[in-house]
C-alpha cells in the first residue's frame, strides 16, 4: 500500500537530445527500432592521431533559438542544456508557474573538457587575447546560470557531480527538494559531458572505454552485457526532467507521465573505479523499500549496463541478489552509447517513454549474454505493460543510485 504520509512526486515534463535525434519523439522512435548512430568521432578536439568511436549530436546550433552573439560564447554543453530544458519546460507548461517556486539542478561536473582544450590550443601563443567571458564560461555553473536567466528561474539552482551517476543523482535531489517543499517544481538536467581526446586516451588506457576492434561496423562495438563487450562507447546526450508534487499542480492541462515512487543512494567509501555489489544492492533496496515494492512487483529494469565486462558482471550479481531475475531488462546504452554525466537522466526518459508506450526496446548487439538466464529483451521491441520500473546508475568513486518509477493509473 502506498505511504499516504509522503506527497506524490510526479514527472510532468521531459526534453531529450542525443545522436539519434532531438526531442522525445525522435528518441522513442530510435529506441523501439534499435537505431543507433555510431561512427568515428569527428568533433574538433576529440582525436589526436587517434580513431575513437562514439555517437555525436548533429546540427547543434539549431537547438537553441538565441541570437548568434549569445550562442558564440556558449559551450556545446550549454547550448544542448538550453534545448532540452526548453522542450521539458513547454511539455510541463511551466510558463504559468511562479518562477520563485521553480528549481533547477544541473547533473554533472568537469563537463566542458573539450571546450577547455580547444581554448588552450587557440590561445597558447597569445594568452592576452583570451576573451573576458572565459572567466565564467569555463565553470560548469555557467550552464546553470544561462538556463536560469533564459527561463527566468528564481528558486533553488545548483550543479552537482557524482561521475556517471550525476544525472540520476540530480533527479533524486530534485525530487527531494520538491518533496520537502523547498520548491514546487524542479528541473533535473543531465548535462552533455563534452570529453576531449585527453579523457578518451585516459579512459582507453584504464580499460573502461571500448574500441572498434575487429568489428566491421562502429555500431557493433557497443555491447552491454554481451561476452564480446570490451568497454563503453561514448555517446553525446542530454536530458531534462520536470518533477513536482501532485498536490501542488494547478495547471489544468498537465498530464503526468509517471510517479517517482522511490529512490536510493549509497557510496562505497572508495576512490577506486571498480564497482561494488554490496553498494549497488544497498541503493536498489533503498529505492524499492521507499517505494514499498517487492522484487516481484518490478516489471522492468533499465540497468546502468555500460558494456564494461567487470561493471556488467557486478550489476548482474546485484540484480540477482535483489531477486530481480524475473524482470524484463534491456540496455539503453547499446543504442545511445554512454553519455557519462547525462546517462541517468536520458535513460530515465527512455524508461518513462517505454512505460507510456507499453513497449520495450531491444538489446542491440546482445548476441551472447554473459548471463542468458535473465529476462533480456532480445532482437526486437516487445509489447509489455509496465506497472513499476527500476532505473540504475553508477559512477566511478563508488556512487550508486537507483529510482523506482510507477505507472500513473
Amino acid at each position: 500500500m502506498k505511504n499516504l504520509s509522503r506527497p506524490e512526486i510526479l514527472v510532468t515534463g521531459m526534453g531529450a537530445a542525443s545522436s539519434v535525434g532531438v526531442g522525445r519523439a525522435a528518441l522513442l522512435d530510435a529506441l523501439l527500432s534499435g537505431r543507433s548512430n555510431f561512427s568515428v568521432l569527428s568533433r574538433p578536439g576529440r582525436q589526436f592521431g587517434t580513431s575513437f568511436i562514439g555517437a555525436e549530436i548533429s546540427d547543434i546550433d539549431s537547438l537553441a533559438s538565441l541570437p548568434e552573439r549569445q550562442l558564440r560564447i556558449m559551450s556545446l554543453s550549454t547550448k544542448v542544456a538550453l534545448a532540452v530544458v526548453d522542450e521539458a519546460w513547454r511539455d510541463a507548461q511551466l510558463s504559468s508557474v511562479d518562477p520563485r517556486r521553480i528549481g533547477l539542478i544541473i547533473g554533472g561536473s568537469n563537463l566542458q573538457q573539450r571546450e577547455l582544450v580547444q581554448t588552450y590550443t587557440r590561445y597558447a601563443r597569445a594568452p592576452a587575447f583570451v576573451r573576458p567571458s572565459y572567466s565564467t564560461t569555463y565553470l560548469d555553473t555557467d550552464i546553470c546560470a544561462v538556463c536560469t536567466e533564459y527561463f527566468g528561474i528564481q528558486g533553488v539552482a545548483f550543479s552537482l557531480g557524482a561521475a556517471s551517476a550525476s544525472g540520476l543523482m540530480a533527479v533524486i535531489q530534485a525530487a527531494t527538494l520538491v518533496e520537502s517543499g523547498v520548491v514546487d517544481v524542479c528541473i533535473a538536467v543531465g548535462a552533455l559531458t563534452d570529453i576531449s581526446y585527453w579523457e578518451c586516451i585516459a579512459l582507453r588506457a584504464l580499460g573502461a572505454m571500448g574500441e572498434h576492434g575487429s568489428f566491421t561496423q562502429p555500431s557493433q562495438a557497443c555491447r552491454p552485457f554481451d561476452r564480446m563487450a570490451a568497454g563503453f562507447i561514448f555517446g553525446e546526450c542530454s536530458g531534462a526532467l520536470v518533477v513536482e508534487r501532485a498536490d501542488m499542480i494547478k495547471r489544468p492541462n498537465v498530464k503526468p507521465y509517471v510517479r517517482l515512487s522511490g529512490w536510493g543512494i549509497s557510496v562505497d567509501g572508495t576512490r577506486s573505479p571498480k564497482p561494488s555489489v554490496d553498494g549497488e544492492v544497498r541503493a536498489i533496496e533503498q529505492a524499492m523499500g521507499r517505494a514499498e515494492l517487492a522484487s516481484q512487483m518490478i516489471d522492468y529494469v533499465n540497468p546502468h549496463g555500460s558494456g564494461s565486462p567487470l561493471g556488467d558482471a557486478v550489476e548482474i550479481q546485484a540484480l540477482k541478489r535483489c531477486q530481480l531475475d524475473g524482470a524484463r531488462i534491456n540496455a539503453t546504452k547499446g543504442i545511445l552509447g554512454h553519455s557519462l554525466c547525462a546517462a541517468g537522466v536520458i535513460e530515465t526518459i527512455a524508461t518513462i517513454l517505454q512505460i507510456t508506450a507499453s513497449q520495450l526496446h531491444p538489446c542491440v548487439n546482445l548476441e551472447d549474454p554473459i548471463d542468458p538466464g535473465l529476462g533480456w529483451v532480445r532482437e526486437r521491441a516487445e509489447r509489455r505493460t509496465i506497472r513499476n520500473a527500476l532505473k540504475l546508475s553508477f559512477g566511478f568513486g563508488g556512487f550508486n543510485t537507483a529510482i523506482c518509477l510507477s505507472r500513473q493509473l
Side-chain angles (χ1 to χ4, degrees):
M1 180 179 291
K2 187 167 58 180
N3 189 330
L4 299 178
S5 65
R6 293 195 188 118
E8 281 194 332
I9 308 300
L10 305 178
V11 175
T12 57
M14 301 188 294
S18 71
S19 60
V20 298
V22 176
R24 301 183 304 276
L27 176 59
L28 179 61
D29 178 72
L31 290 173
L32 296 182
S33 65
R35 174 172 52 83
S36 63
N37 192 26
F38 294 102
S39 63
V40 176
L41 296 171
S42 61
R43 208 175 293 289
R46 293 261 168 86
Q47 307 286 0
F48 192 77
T50 51
S51 56
F52 298 113
I53 62 171
E56 296 172 322
I57 301 171
S58 61
D59 199 19
I60 294 298
D61 288 337
S62 68
L63 295 177
S65 56
L66 291 172
E68 179 61 30
R69 177 180 57 82
Q70 291 177 277
L71 288 172
R72 275 201 306 269
I73 60 170
M74 285 184 192
S75 69
L76 171 65
S77 300
T78 304
K79 292 175 187 176
V80 180
L82 272 176
V84 297
V85 173
D86 183 63
E87 184 183 24
W89 184 278
R90 294 173 186 274
D91 191 26
Q93 304 174 42
L94 296 183
S95 58
S96 61
V97 177
D98 182 350
R100 296 169 297 182
R101 301 297 301 163
I102 300 176
L104 173 72
I105 302 176
I106 302 295
S109 57
N110 307 113
L111 293 165
Q112 305 174 92
Q113 299 303 107
R114 186 188 64 89
E115 200 86 21
L116 301 183
V117 168
Q118 292 288 90
T119 299
Y120 301 156
T121 303
R122 188 178 302 121
Y123 296 104
R125 296 185 178 181
F129 290 94
V130 172
R131 51 182 169 77
S133 59
Y134 179 75
S135 61
T136 59
T137 58
Y138 84 91
L139 298 166
D140 291 331
T141 49
D142 187 58
I143 302 172
C144 199
V146 169
C147 289
T148 57
E149 179 181 73
Y150 187 75
F151 295 99
I153 296 169
Q154 298 175 26
V156 173
F158 56 90
S159 62
L160 62 80
S164 294
S166 296
L168 204 57
M169 192 76 79
V171 174
I172 292 170
Q173 292 305 306
T176 301
L177 288 172
V178 167
E179 183 181 57
S180 62
V182 174
V183 289
D184 297 333
V185 179
C186 197
I187 306 167
V189 178
L192 188 150
T193 308
D194 190 9
I195 58 175
S196 74
Y197 64 84
W198 287 105
E199 290 73 49
C200 292
I201 291 170
L203 287 164
R204 174 72 60 77
L206 181 66
M209 180 181 268
E211 55 188 322
H212 194 273
S214 60
F215 300 110
T216 58
Q217 299 293 331
S219 61
Q220 296 174 325
C222 194
R223 313 180 71 85
F225 299 108
D226 188 78
R227 292 188 189 279
M228 289 289 289
F232 79 81
I233 304 299
F234 173 68
E236 288 183 345
C237 293
S238 184
L241 280 176
V242 178
V243 298
E244 51 189 313
R245 283 173 52 154
D247 59 343
M248 298 301 293
I249 299 175
K250 309 299 181 186
R251 306 175 312 285
N253 296 321
V254 171
K255 296 180 180 179
Y257 288 98
V258 295
R259 179 165 54 91
L260 211 172
S261 50
W263 53 83
I265 300 171
S266 75
V267 293
D268 300 332
T270 181
R271 187 189 183 190
S272 170
K274 293 182 180 179
S276 162
V277 176
D278 291 341
E280 293 180 13
V281 166
R282 289 199 306 274
I284 293 169
E285 289 180 341
Q286 283 181 36
M288 292 197 304
R290 184 183 179 91
E292 300 181 345
L293 294 172
S295 57
Q296 63 269 26
M297 298 169 70
I298 301 293
D299 304 303
Y300 164 60
V301 176
N302 187 290
H304 183 66
S306 67
S308 158
L310 176 60
D312 287 358
V314 168
E315 188 168 9
I316 284 176
Q317 291 180 56
L319 292 174
K320 285 186 165 182
R321 274 183 46 181
C322 293
Q323 300 180 326
L324 291 163
D325 313 49
R328 303 304 287 164
I329 304 172
N330 56 21
T332 299
K333 289 183 181 70
I335 297 172
L336 301 181
H338 191 349
S339 54
L340 304 176
C341 291
V345 174
I346 196 70
E347 291 164 18
T348 296
I349 292 170
T351 300
I352 294 170
L353 290 172
Q354 291 175 94
I355 292 173
T356 56
S358 296
Q359 294 186 78
L360 297 175
H361 73 69
C363 285
V364 175
N365 295 326
L366 186 64
E367 297 174 355
D368 187 9
I370 57 177
D371 189 327
L374 272 66
W376 307 111
V377 182
R378 297 300 293 268
E379 296 85 0
R380 295 179 180 82
E382 176 182 293
R383 292 201 170 274
R384 177 79 55 161
T385 298
I386 307 158
R387 298 161 301 169
N388 300 295
L390 177 71
K391 169 66 200 143
L392 306 177
S393 201
F394 312 123
F396 286 169
F399 298 99
N400 308 296
T401 57
I403 62 170
C404 291
L405 300 161
S406 300
R407 177 185 286 270
Q408 282 296 100
L409 302 176

